[in-house]
């Protein structure tokens, strides 16, 4: 399997979740071994997608360099990861990736419009070689060896609409588009009110998030009966993109979030619990079929 980029540039304008201001997002092709690079056109600063460039994980995954940041990268990177794209320039004229409808489907549509281009060099995978886990306050995130790419997530909220949800996602691109990419981010009304009081979530609305009060949801309906846990998988896929390549292994989590996911990527590197592998022919590894 060969490295991938996109065939042509594509762009969109959307609203940033926290500042509530318009953001222009442009995806551009990059050559082999370039990796994923964010570029703040208003600051003239490039920020490579690397675990060490993560500067905040409280409300979203935020990367930064030289005092310049890009926030809420996880939904876009979830879509990029799902297409097996290795090299891409992501240009923004503000400090947030636009929230779009709160899911990843808009970014999927952008990538489909751009098309996928295969390059000459072989694609690299990160193969998990031993179990690594992070636990905190009854929550955990774990990576372990597997011949497949699996995301196994469970959540448990003390809320009548959510409760306990579990979803096991056997990764491939088409299943991602159908089962995961449309699942929206969610939040609680009392939290939204607090965030707005401190100048955050100014771009949030029922058009780009599921909002819950104490008894139910304020939106008309859910896209999936278990949309909440599916969105947590969407987030986890985006957070794991910080490894720098698609991984081969099993991700498992209970009530994890951006912070634990980030610590997990750091721990994997610290323990050297992986090897970088590449394949010259598709038939050498059935897993490449997952990327179409």
């Amino acid at each position: 399997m060969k490295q991938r980029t996109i065939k042509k540039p594509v762009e969109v304008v959307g609203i940033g979740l926290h500042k509530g201001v318009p953001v222009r997002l442009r995806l551009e092709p990059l050559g082999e071994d370039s990796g994923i690079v964010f570029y703040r056109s208003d600051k003239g600063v490039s920020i490579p997608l690397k675990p060490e460039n993560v500067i905040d994980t409280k409300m979203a995954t935020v990367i930064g360099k030289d005092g310049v940041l890009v926030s809420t990268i996880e939904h876009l990177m979830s879509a990029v990861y799902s297409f097996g794209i290795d090299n891409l320039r992501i240009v923004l004229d503000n400090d947030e990736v636009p929230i779009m409808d709160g899911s990843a489907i808009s970014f999927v549509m952008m990538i489909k419009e751009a098309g996928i281009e295969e390059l000459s060099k072989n694609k690299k995978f990160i193969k998990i070689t031993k179990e690594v886990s992070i636990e905190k306050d009854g929550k955990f995130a774990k990576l372990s060896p597997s011949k497949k790419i699996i995301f196994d997530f469970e959540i448990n909220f003390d809320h009548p609409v959510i409760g306990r949800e579990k979803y096991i996602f056997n990764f491939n691109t088409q299943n991602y588009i159908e089962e995961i990419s449309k699942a929206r981010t969610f939040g609680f009304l009392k939290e939204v009110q607090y965030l707005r009081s401190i100048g955050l979530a100014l771009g949030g609305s029922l058009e780009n998030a599921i909002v819950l009060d104490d008894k139910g949801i304020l939106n008309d309906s859910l896209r999936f009966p278990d949309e909440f846990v599916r969105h947590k998988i969407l987030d986890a896929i985006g957070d794991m993109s910080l490894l720098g390549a698609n991984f081969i292994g099993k991700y498992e989590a209970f009530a994890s979030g951006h912070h634990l996911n980030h610590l997990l990527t750091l721990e994997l590197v610290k323990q050297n619990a992986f090897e970088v592998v590449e394949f010259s022919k598709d038939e050498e590894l059935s897993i490449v079929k997952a990327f179409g």
Side-chain angles (χ1 to χ4, degrees):
M1 184 175 180
K2 301 299 182 182
Q3 292 184 28
R4 292 179 171 184
T5 187
I6 56 175
K7 288 183 178 179
K8 64 178 184 179
V10 287
E11 68 177 54
V12 69
V13 176
I15 298 295
L17 175 61
H18 287 301
K19 287 190 175 180
V21 298
V23 184
R24 184 177 299 275
L25 165 68
R26 180 177 171 88
L27 307 182
E28 299 178 348
L30 277 184
E32 55 201 17
D33 293 335
S34 297
I36 308 293
V37 180
F38 285 80
Y39 179 70
R40 282 284 302 275
S41 60
D42 57 323
K43 300 290 186 180
V45 174
S46 293
I47 310 171
L49 187 76
K50 296 179 179 179
E52 57 265 34
N53 284 338
V54 174
I55 61 171
D56 193 7
T57 53
K58 293 183 185 71
M59 301 300 301
T61 297
V62 184
I63 59 173
K65 181 183 176 186
D66 300 331
V68 177
L69 61 85
V70 176
S71 177
T72 323
I73 68 170
E74 59 272 10
H75 300 170
L76 170 60
M77 286 312 308
S78 184
V80 169
Y81 183 102
S82 76
F83 281 88
I85 294 172
D86 309 281
N87 308 289
L88 187 68
R89 190 174 190 242
I90 300 167
V91 183
L92 295 150
D93 64 359
N94 212 314
D95 62 4
E96 290 183 85
V97 174
I99 190 64
M100 309 309 286
D101 74 342
S103 75
I105 189 61
S106 295
F107 304 125
V108 166
M109 294 169 67
M110 286 182 73
I111 294 168
K112 281 190 167 186
E113 180 185 347
I116 301 296
E117 171 106 16
E118 290 205 336
L119 304 171
S120 58
K121 284 195 174 182
N122 291 336
K123 179 178 175 64
K124 295 179 176 66
F125 289 89
I126 290 177
K127 183 178 181 181
I128 310 302
T129 55
K130 68 176 182 180
E131 183 177 301
V132 173
S133 64
I134 295 290
E135 297 183 29
K136 186 176 182 180
D137 301 328
K139 305 173 183 180
F140 76 85
K142 177 169 64 177
L143 285 169
S144 56
S146 174
K147 292 182 180 180
K148 298 179 180 180
I149 303 172
I150 300 170
F151 288 85
D152 181 342
F153 212 117
E154 185 174 4
I155 59 175
N156 188 16
F157 283 85
D158 184 16
H159 190 278
V161 176
I162 307 177
R164 185 176 289 269
E165 293 183 355
K166 181 179 175 67
Y167 200 84
I168 300 175
F169 177 57
N170 290 288
F171 178 87
N172 73 49
T173 301
Q174 190 57 41
N175 287 350
Y176 172 85
I177 294 170
E178 295 173 0
E179 299 176 22
I180 303 298
S181 72
K182 300 173 186 177
R184 295 161 294 174
T185 193
F186 61 95
F188 298 90
L189 183 60
K190 55 187 176 183
E191 294 176 353
V192 173
Q193 291 169 337
Y194 167 72
L195 289 171
R196 287 184 172 175
S197 75
I198 60 172
L200 297 175
L202 300 178
S205 72
L206 296 179
E207 301 300 317
N208 54 37
I210 303 169
V211 181
L212 303 102
D213 60 15
D214 292 338
K215 297 180 179 179
I217 64 169
L218 303 185
N219 310 69
D220 291 335
S221 63
L222 295 174
R223 293 177 177 175
F224 307 96
D226 52 2
E227 187 168 358
F228 305 99
V229 72
R230 292 186 194 224
H231 184 79
K232 297 293 282 186
I233 290 176
L234 186 157
D235 277 348
I237 292 171
D239 289 342
M240 290 302 104
S241 72
L242 270 295
L243 291 172
N246 293 98
F247 75 85
I248 303 170
K250 181 179 182 180
Y251 167 95
E252 185 178 358
F254 174 75
S256 183
H258 302 302
H259 183 59
L260 279 189
N261 290 338
H262 173 53
L263 294 180
L264 183 62
T265 63
L266 295 179
E267 189 67 17
L268 184 77
V269 174
K270 178 182 177 181
Q271 292 195 25
N272 195 29
F274 68 96
E275 60 180 341
V276 178
V277 297
E278 59 182 67
F279 305 91
S280 58
K281 297 179 181 178
D282 286 358
E283 59 266 23
E284 289 181 320
L285 184 68
S286 60
I287 200 168
V288 300
K289 296 178 181 178
F291 295 97

